Amino acid sequence: MKVQLVDHNLSDSAVVRAARVSTVGGTHRLLPEPPTAESTERDAGLIGYLMRERHGSPFEHGSLTLYVEAPIFVFREWQRHRIASYNEESARYRELKPDFYLPPVDRDLVQVGKPGAYTFEPGTIEQLATVDTELSTAYRAAYEAYERMLAAGIAREIARAALPVGTYSSMYVTMNPRGLMNFLSLRTHRQDATFVSHPQREIEVCAEKAEAIFRALMPITHAAFEKNGRVAP
């Protein structure tokens, strides 16, 4: 699965600027002054306060666009987060490639417990082989049916119904920092979080890659997010 940065205008200073307009008015400069140790510490204190007290609107200034390649079932989970904009590859307009998802060997396979109170445990070598064999067989049969319908002149939007949710798709997703933190709080599993989430591992892998990008672009904001229990403001 792939998550890549395409474009952004994110910065910790944008959060600070948006927050301070409430008390000191506009302080926008076309060429901002270089940060100092003192100003960085002051900004970190303000961002920490905003995060702790959940004053969320200053975190809505700026956006990042990601390019994502993942199985369709991951996209269906991701697109439940309506605080973002999406444009996905369309099987109505192009023929999809035979790219399908197979779980890696370290992916836990066995669900133990009941809904709302279960864990996943590693599978056996035999179970992993069963997953690979059965998924590969199903994918091959589905794609062959898809190709037969296309060859018979069936519209792509009808033929695509044969394809399983393990088919890879691609999309662009754009969101602001507040929306991204909401996504991360729900789609990563961290025992030290205030509200522990239990996402499916495949979307968590994508979320971890998105978080690495967020951490690099907004280190002060990300640190405050971590310190305050990974609760989106």
Side-chain angles (χ1 to χ4, degrees):
M1 289 176 282
K2 181 184 297 183
V3 178
Q4 295 178 331
L5 178 66
V6 176
D7 196 11
H8 81 94
N9 62 347
L10 299 187
S11 67
D12 292 313
S13 61
V15 178
V16 172
R17 181 174 62 237
R20 286 188 176 145
V21 73
S22 301
T23 56
V24 301
T27 58
H28 178 68
R29 295 184 179 90
L30 291 178
L31 294 174
E33 296 177 354
T36 64
E38 181 181 356
S39 67
T40 299
E41 183 177 357
R42 186 169 61 247
D43 291 353
L46 175 56
I47 289 174
Y49 166 79
L50 296 170
M51 192 78 69
R52 184 176 65 252
E53 300 301 322
R54 304 196 73 187
H55 293 301
S57 60
F59 298 98
E60 295 177 4
H61 295 271
S63 67
L64 83 165
T65 297
L66 303 173
Y67 172 72
V68 185
E69 291 182 2
I72 289 172
F73 69 83
V74 171
F75 283 9
R76 296 305 164 261
E77 290 195 345
W78 196 324
Q79 291 167 1
R80 290 171 60 86
H81 299 267
R82 293 174 292 278
I83 43 182
S85 298
Y86 304 96
N87 281 91
E88 183 183 349
E89 178 179 356
S90 175
R92 293 186 67 193
Y93 303 120
R94 69 183 303 270
E95 181 178 343
L96 296 186
K97 296 177 291 185
D99 291 337
F100 302 101
Y101 176 74
L102 289 173
V105 295
D106 59 349
R107 208 293 191 192
D108 291 340
L109 297 177
V110 180
Q111 180 178 322
V112 179
K114 59 183 180 180
Y118 57 80
T119 59
F120 285 90
E121 298 180 358
T124 64
I125 294 175
E126 291 76 17
Q127 287 172 320
L128 182 62
T130 297
V131 169
D132 281 349
T133 298
E134 296 298 339
L135 285 180
S136 296
T137 300
Y139 290 154
R140 187 177 300 107
Y143 198 78
E144 288 173 354
Y146 174 66
E147 287 191 310
R148 285 195 298 271
M149 283 188 279
L150 293 178
I154 306 300
R156 286 184 291 266
E157 63 186 51
I158 297 298
R160 66 176 174 172
L163 297 176
V165 294
T167 307
Y168 269 78
S169 186
S170 61
M171 72 171 176
Y172 291 104
V173 53
T174 299
M175 64 183 80
N176 64 40
R178 189 182 191 184
L180 178 57
M181 286 185 281
N182 177 269
F183 171 73
L184 296 176
S185 71
L186 294 169
R187 297 300 183 176
T188 56
H189 175 74
R190 286 281 296 274
Q191 283 297 129
D192 58 343
T194 299
F195 304 102
V196 179
S197 186
H198 301 276
Q200 183 167 340
R201 180 55 187 155
E202 284 73 14
I203 195 170
E204 185 179 30
V205 170
C206 291
E208 290 169 348
K209 294 179 179 182
E211 184 163 2
I213 295 170
F214 172 49
R215 183 189 301 112
L217 295 176
M218 301 182 72
I220 297 175
T221 299
H222 181 266
F225 174 62
E226 287 271 47
K227 184 177 180 180
N228 288 278
R230 300 176 66 83
V231 177

